[in-house]
Amino acid sequence: MPRRSHRAALALTSALSLAFALGPAAAETAKPLVRNIVLVRGAWVDGSGWKAVYDHLVADGFHVSMVQEPETSFADDVAATRRVLDLQDGPTLLVGHSYGGSIITEAGVHPKVAGLVYVAAHAPDIGEDEAALGKSMPSVLAMTAGAIAKTPDGFTYLDPALFPKLFAPDLPLARAEFEARGQVLAAASVFSTPLTAAAWQTKPSWGIVAGADQIISPALERFYYERAGAPITTIPGASHSVYESHPREVAAVIEHAAAELGKATN
């Protein structure tokens, strides 16, 4: 499929802005044929963060599943995603947040995947890894000494004292602190494993930039999406927890992608 132009990306951003103002019923007039959505979380958090996005999508008639990848290795996380994709009953839109973007890039070649949505996410190419790419456009996290800690057996986590400030400054403090204390520790190797597939090369993709992201540089997110030819939606002021702090806007992008995929199959 030809890559979309930047003009198309700008047009989609404008269309989505109108959709947010009019509401989901007016945003999509045709019932999408792609009804299956699989949500893949990023590192250190669990799938419960998708709850508000899940509620929006289910209310609009989508069948939504979430992957609870173990974060023990990149291969294990991709396998966990494929396992959930195998359970889908038809074409599926695969959505990834943060490190989940690397996972969906690799797992997205699955035959049931019709398209991809990246939410403040990495999208490496074949042979690339997100750790190296992150060094090319450092985030606030990367420049904060001691923010990422590591256990003796090589699993990483974000310093709980810094988690609310860096990961989720636009969430209620109590909620961010709860997430900081319930982190899923990630093997350090998951961030530096080179990809062997890049689904965005052959499948339609959409990207959300979190305008105030401190975990991944917004400039890096934009680079990924432009390279993939993906229409870009920027949510100004949003933190890395954009899917929690702006669930309606994130759900609207997912629903638009599902509708566009539905039109493509007609």
Side-chain angles (χ1 to χ4, degrees):
M1 169 173 288
R3 294 183 176 179
R4 298 171 178 80
S5 66
H6 298 313
R7 180 179 299 175
L10 293 172
L12 176 62
T13 302
S14 300
L16 286 172
S17 298
L18 178 60
F20 299 152
L22 295 177
E28 305 295 353
T29 57
K31 184 177 180 180
L33 296 180
V34 177
R35 307 303 296 172
N36 296 325
I37 311 290
V38 170
L39 306 174
V40 183
R41 60 178 172 78
W44 304 325
V45 291
D46 65 28
S48 65
W50 286 114
K51 181 62 165 63
V53 171
Y54 170 92
D55 288 343
H56 282 292
L57 295 174
V58 170
D60 289 335
F62 290 91
H63 173 259
V64 185
S65 303
M66 283 151 290
V67 177
Q68 294 283 24
E69 66 269 24
E71 298 182 48
T72 48
S73 73
F74 184 65
D76 289 345
D77 294 345
V78 171
T81 302
R82 288 174 177 154
R83 210 169 286 127
V84 174
L85 289 169
D86 287 342
L87 298 175
Q88 306 306 304
D89 62 3
T92 300
L93 182 59
L94 188 56
V95 181
H97 171 250
S98 191
Y99 161 63
S102 292
I103 296 172
I104 70 169
T105 298
E106 181 91 8
V109 296
H110 191 287
K112 289 185 180 178
V113 174
L116 311 164
V117 176
Y118 292 90
V119 181
H122 289 285
D125 202 348
I126 296 170
E128 296 179 345
D129 65 82
E130 64 179 64
L133 290 162
K135 292 177 182 177
S136 67
M137 299 182 197
S139 64
V140 174
L141 170 64
M143 295 183 286
T144 303
I148 299 176
K150 186 185 293 187
T151 64
D153 60 347
F155 280 73
T156 66
Y157 61 96
L158 187 56
D159 182 347
L162 296 175
F163 188 102
K165 176 184 177 181
L166 294 176
F167 198 103
D170 53 358
L171 294 184
L173 180 59
R175 182 172 170 183
E177 289 177 337
F178 178 82
E179 292 185 1
R181 293 297 176 181
Q183 293 182 60
V184 180
L185 276 62
S189 63
V190 304
F191 306 117
S192 57
T193 301
L195 271 66
T196 61
W200 52 259
Q201 291 185 356
T202 57
K203 298 190 179 183
S205 303
W206 289 260
I208 296 175
V209 173
D213 201 330
Q214 298 182 83
I215 302 297
I216 302 175
S217 166
L220 180 57
E221 294 170 12
R222 193 169 292 107
F223 160 77
Y224 283 134
Y225 309 154
E226 289 178 349
R227 181 173 68 171
I232 299 171
T233 299
T234 299
I235 301 181
S239 77
H240 196 58
S241 289
V242 58
Y243 63 114
E244 295 184 83
S245 60
H246 295 77
R248 183 171 64 91
E249 292 94 327
V250 171
V253 173
I254 294 170
E255 293 193 21
H256 178 87
E260 289 298 301
L261 291 171
K263 293 175 186 176
T265 61
N266 286 336

